[in-house]
Amino acid sequence: MRLHEPLSNWTTMRIGGPAEMFFEPHKPEFLADLLTALEKDGVPWTLLGGGANTVAPDGGIPGAVIHTGNMRRLFRDGNGLRVWPGVTLPSLVRSAQGLGLSGVEELVGVPGHVGGALAMNAGSAEWGIWDQVEEVVLWSPGAVNEEDGLKFRTWSPKEIQPAYRQGNLGGRVVLEALLNLEESSPLVVKATQDDFLKRKNRSQPVRLTSAGCAFKNPSGESAGRLIDQAGLKGHQVGGVKVSDIHANFLVNEGGATAADVRQMLAEIEQAVQGRFGISLERELAVIPEPL
Ligand SMILES: Cc1cc2nc3c(=O)[nH]c(=O)nc-3n(C[C@H](O)[C@H](O)[C@H](O)COP(=O)(O)OP(=O)(O)OC[C@H]3O[C@@H](n4cnc5c(N)ncnc54)[C@H](O)[C@@H]3O)c2cc1C
């Protein structure tokens, strides 16, 4: 455990003050024990994966921040892959390709960890990682599973009901997941990945400092198009700018703060509401400032 770890080092947007306590468990069992102990002692905790969808507060996070980055194991299980929550999406995509397993090609070029991806149901407009989930092991706050006295158990996607960019975990924590993939060939999987990557590189500011899409796409619409047509491409608040390449990406131009991001999100919401009468829903996980 480390004290006062700067969260700007652990988020892709490079924003965030210190975590009071910063834990990096090496195994899902240790993560479960840690969560149970923190809960018992009344210590607030926050889960952090790759920080690729998170805006951490300027004032830092009191209590414990648990980073999943040391839980990186991945096992072949039939046609599927059993993955720990800290497996990075690039390594998941690489492993599936190497094994000739098809199903997660659309995650190519997406940063983050499997746990964070399941929490957000990461993917594209038409597909999310939950489409491949066979089962998931979750730690639950509060209640204990009556059958075995444990705070974690295996859940099916049917019980969770994930939706577009919404893992619906209800405060539960991903300890492990079994992804259902289809046998293919490494070359075919690679060709599909290359195709997705080309499209992504053409349309998104993948090399700039961002946290991915700021808003979810409203039904039948594109949040990027609405923001662009509201005249906000290139708009800047402090160190945060609406990307010139894709208006749904907010880029840290240098020295951006969480306050800048919150201000920018509010301005975009107001402009799109005013121009189109549409309320945008945030995709970014913006953690509130400490009291
Ligand atoms: C350049 C770029 C491109 C991107 N492209 C895409 C894209 O194409 N599609 C897409 O969907 N997203 C995209 N994103 C956003 C981001 O990569 C995904 O949302 C990713 O899944 C976030 O994973 P993470 O581990 O970084 O999550 P984090 O930001 O660390 O966390 C996100 C949420 O998940 C929770 N969480 C983390 N781990 C766990 C766990 N084990 N159990 C329960 N909850 C947990 C956190 O508490 C937080 O609420 C992009 C981001 C960038 C920077």
Side-chain angles (χ1 to χ4, degrees):
M1 191 263 287
R2 296 203 286 281
L3 293 174
H4 311 302
E5 179 69 17
L7 290 167
S8 52
N9 290 345
W10 300 94
T11 56
T12 57
M13 216 170 173
R14 300 279 169 246
I15 286 176
E20 189 179 354
M21 295 178 278
F22 189 83
F23 292 90
E24 291 188 285
H26 282 79
K27 287 183 176 182
E29 302 93 283
F30 298 165
L31 169 58
D33 287 348
L34 175 61
L35 288 163
T36 304
L38 292 168
E39 184 182 65
K40 191 161 158 264
D41 291 344
V43 178
W45 50 266
T46 305
L47 250 292
L48 185 66
N53 194 57
T54 294
V55 180
D58 299 321
I61 300 184
V65 170
I66 308 170
H67 182 244
T68 56
N70 277 336
M71 293 177 286
R72 286 185 298 233
R73 292 192 71 176
L74 172 153
F75 314 83
R76 177 102 190 230
D77 187 333
N79 267 355
L81 288 174
R82 194 167 279 283
V83 287
W84 284 6
V87 169
T88 67
L89 300 179
S91 99
L92 171 65
V93 163
R94 242 187 344 264
S95 303
Q97 189 271 322
L99 293 164
L101 294 173
S102 168
V104 287
E105 290 91 323
E106 290 192 58
L107 289 174
V108 69
V110 180
H113 298 175
V114 163
L118 287 165
M120 308 304 301
N121 198 9
S124 61
E126 302 79 27
W127 174 92
I129 186 170
W130 272 94
D131 290 357
Q132 307 306 138
V133 172
E134 174 86 25
E135 60 183 39
V136 63
V137 181
L138 300 176
W139 178 93
S140 299
V144 167
N145 179 16
E146 283 172 13
E147 271 171 35
D148 49 20
L150 291 173
K151 282 188 52 82
F152 52 87
R153 72 165 172 94
T154 301
W155 296 67
S156 70
K158 239 188 182 159
E159 290 175 281
I160 299 291
Q161 299 277 323
Y164 164 68
R165 286 305 88 79
Q166 176 56 264
N168 270 340
L169 293 177
R172 300 182 192 93
V173 173
V174 176
L175 301 178
E176 187 179 287
L178 175 60
L179 303 178
N180 205 348
L181 303 171
E182 226 173 81
E183 200 130 19
S184 177
S185 95
L187 283 176
V188 172
V189 175
K190 178 152 190 337
T192 314
Q193 286 179 356
D194 287 350
D195 195 37
F196 281 123
L197 193 58
K198 246 187 248 157
R199 275 190 257 167
K200 198 169 174 66
N201 287 343
R202 258 202 312 264
S203 59
Q204 297 181 1
V206 287
R207 273 170 203 85
L208 301 181
T209 309
S210 84
C213 286
F215 295 97
K216 299 181 187 185
N217 287 323
S219 175
E221 253 302 348
S222 147
R225 193 190 69 79
L226 295 171
I227 299 167
D228 187 3
Q229 297 204 341
L232 291 171
K233 238 184 195 174
H235 179 55
Q236 189 148 355
V237 174
V240 177
K241 185 178 162 190
V242 176
S243 164
D244 295 315
I245 300 169
H246 190 311
N248 201 14
F249 279 66
L250 304 183
V251 176
N252 182 349
E253 290 277 288
T257 62
D260 295 339
V261 177
R262 286 195 299 272
Q263 172 71 24
M264 175 67 95
L265 292 170
E267 287 186 19
I268 293 174
E269 283 159 359
Q270 207 177 10
V272 169
Q273 178 70 48
R275 172 93 197 262
F276 303 102
I278 294 176
S279 304
L280 288 176
E281 195 186 333
R282 294 181 185 184
E283 182 169 326
L284 283 179
V286 184
I287 302 175
E289 291 294 331
L291 296 173

